[in-house]
Amino acid sequence: MEITNGFALDGLSITLIGLGILALLVLFAGAKTVPQGFNYTIERFGKYTRTLKPGLNLIVPFIDTVGKKINVMEQVLDVPHQEVITRDNASITANGVTFYQILDAAAAAYEISGLENAILNLTMTNIRTVMGSMDLDELLSHRDEINERLLRVVDTAVSPWGIKITRIEIKDIDPPKDLVDSMGRQMKAEREKRAAILEAEGRRQSAILQAEGAKQAQVLEAEGRKEAAFRDAEARERSAEAEARATQMVSDAIAGGNVQAINYFVANNYIKALEAIATSPNQKILMLPVEASSVIGAIGGIAEIAKETFGGGAPAAARPSRPPSTGSSQ
């Protein structure tokens, strides 16, 4: 028995301590902690047996070993610039980015060697294939279609490796400088063409509207003339009816033997004729070769008619009326 630091240790105690230390070492060797976002593959004598998930896991110490530490988070892989010749023989430079995620750690670890390099080469090859089958104008205007076709093709190719391609994006498409200048001139010419077409269309529409406006104005003017003519004819008809009634009344009076009515009718027309002569624009001097007594006699006849009409007294004795003389008195 030995004395160490005041404690007595015999052979049994030393053996138990050694066994305890060995048990702790075995426990630590068999306990594996896997961080979140990773999967560990376990190999037994070099052969894959199982995959450890995130958390605390136990393995057979000194027999099972960790083979591959696989990152199962979504990862990004840059696709470098590469030259592509399009279907219409235009040379361009394109690059992109690929997003992928490992779904099966064992397949990604043991089915392919150099995983990232394999994904990169597949993406670059299919970029040249897909973009090379399209015209330059299609490449510049259908980028979403290119991304969709690349995603479908590359994802199908890497699926045996336990990988899911989540997204492929073309970042830049760079045509040569001379081609860019040509495209700029083409775009300018196209815009000038559209501007000329729009201007011509505007002039055409304006001419059509002006013609329609003139047509409508002519229609309205014709309708106005029609309405005016109708109103004028109606007015002339009413005037003729009134004149006819007046003439009829005078005729009835004459037929009844009323001499004053004849005097009124003749004097009225006579005075109207004098007014027309006096108001003529080229008439400066008016010579009246008439007898004053004739006009006065006619006016007197009008006065007598008025008296008889409004009851101003007994009718005067009828006297013969001399028609106005048109010649000069001798």
Side-chain angles (χ1 to χ4, degrees):
M1 180 172 43
E2 299 178 356
I3 303 298
T4 305
N5 295 331
F7 294 95
L9 296 176
D10 54 8
L12 180 59
S13 299
I14 295 173
T15 302
L16 292 176
I17 293 173
L19 291 176
I21 294 173
L22 181 60
L24 290 175
L25 292 176
V26 171
L27 180 61
F28 281 116
K32 298 296 180 181
T33 301
V34 180
Q36 185 67 37
F38 284 84
N39 285 171
Y40 290 177
T41 61
I42 300 300
E43 299 174 355
R44 178 172 296 175
F45 303 116
K47 181 181 179 181
Y48 167 78
T49 57
R50 60 194 178 99
T51 301
L52 300 183
K53 302 298 181 180
L56 181 62
N57 298 270
L58 296 176
I59 63 174
V60 178
F62 310 115
I63 296 177
D64 294 340
T65 58
V66 175
K68 302 290 183 180
K69 297 180 179 180
I70 304 299
N71 185 350
V72 295
M73 295 181 288
E74 188 172 4
Q75 302 178 65
V76 182
L77 186 62
D78 286 329
V79 180
H81 284 82
Q82 56 182 323
E83 290 188 358
V84 179
I85 298 177
T86 62
R87 186 171 58 186
D88 53 352
N89 296 324
S91 178
I92 64 171
T93 303
N95 67 339
V97 61
T98 301
F99 297 82
Y100 70 95
Q101 185 176 15
I102 297 175
L103 303 180
D104 187 349
Y110 301 109
E111 295 293 336
I112 184 68
S113 177
L115 179 62
E116 290 189 355
N117 187 46
I119 297 174
L120 180 61
N121 281 279
L122 269 176
T123 304
M124 294 174 63
T125 302
N126 284 281
I127 284 177
R128 287 192 294 269
T129 301
V130 173
M131 299 180 71
S133 63
M134 303 174 69
D135 293 332
L136 179 60
D137 292 339
E138 293 178 339
L139 291 181
L140 299 177
S141 59
H142 296 80
R143 189 171 298 191
D144 291 340
E145 180 182 349
I146 297 173
N147 295 336
E148 190 274 332
R149 290 175 62 182
L150 285 173
L151 176 62
R152 184 174 63 251
V153 173
V154 177
D155 183 58
T156 303
V158 301
S159 58
W161 306 338
I163 299 172
K164 173 66 177 176
I165 303 296
T166 58
R167 189 181 309 167
I168 296 179
E169 298 286 343
I170 299 298
K171 294 194 296 184
D172 299 316
I173 298 177
D174 300 324
K177 187 178 183 303
D178 56 346
L179 187 57
V180 173
D181 294 339
S182 299
M183 292 172 62
R185 290 193 299 270
Q186 179 184 1
M187 184 181 299
K188 181 179 178 181
E190 185 67 24
R191 289 181 177 177
E192 290 177 351
K193 174 184 175 182
R194 289 199 298 266
I197 292 174
L198 291 177
E199 184 178 358
E201 183 66 23
R203 290 196 299 268
R204 173 178 174 272
Q205 192 68 20
S206 176
I208 291 174
L209 292 178
Q210 289 179 359
E212 290 180 353
K215 175 183 176 182
Q216 189 67 21
Q218 292 177 358
V219 171
L220 293 177
E221 183 179 358
E223 291 180 354
R225 290 196 304 268
K226 176 183 176 182
E227 185 67 20
F230 176 77
R231 298 294 183 185
D232 188 28
E234 186 177 4
R236 289 196 303 270
E237 181 181 357
R238 298 296 171 82
S239 178
E241 289 178 357
E243 186 70 22
R245 285 197 299 267
T247 305
Q248 183 66 35
M249 291 177 65
V250 173
S251 298
D252 293 343
I254 293 172
N258 192 345
V259 181
Q260 301 297 334
I262 298 175
N263 293 334
Y264 169 77
F265 183 75
V266 174
N268 187 31
N269 290 331
Y270 185 70
I271 291 173
K272 287 183 179 179
L274 292 178
E275 288 179 356
I277 294 173
T279 57
S280 177
N282 59 355
Q283 184 67 36
K284 303 300 180 182
I285 299 174
L286 177 63
M287 303 298 292
L288 296 176
V290 294
E291 296 178 356
S293 60
S294 300
V295 178
I296 294 173
I299 295 175
I302 296 172
E304 289 179 2
I305 292 175
K307 287 181 181 180
E308 291 179 3
T309 302
F310 296 103
R319 60 179 178 180
S321 176
R322 185 177 58 183
S325 175
T326 58
S328 301
S329 60
Q330 300 296 327

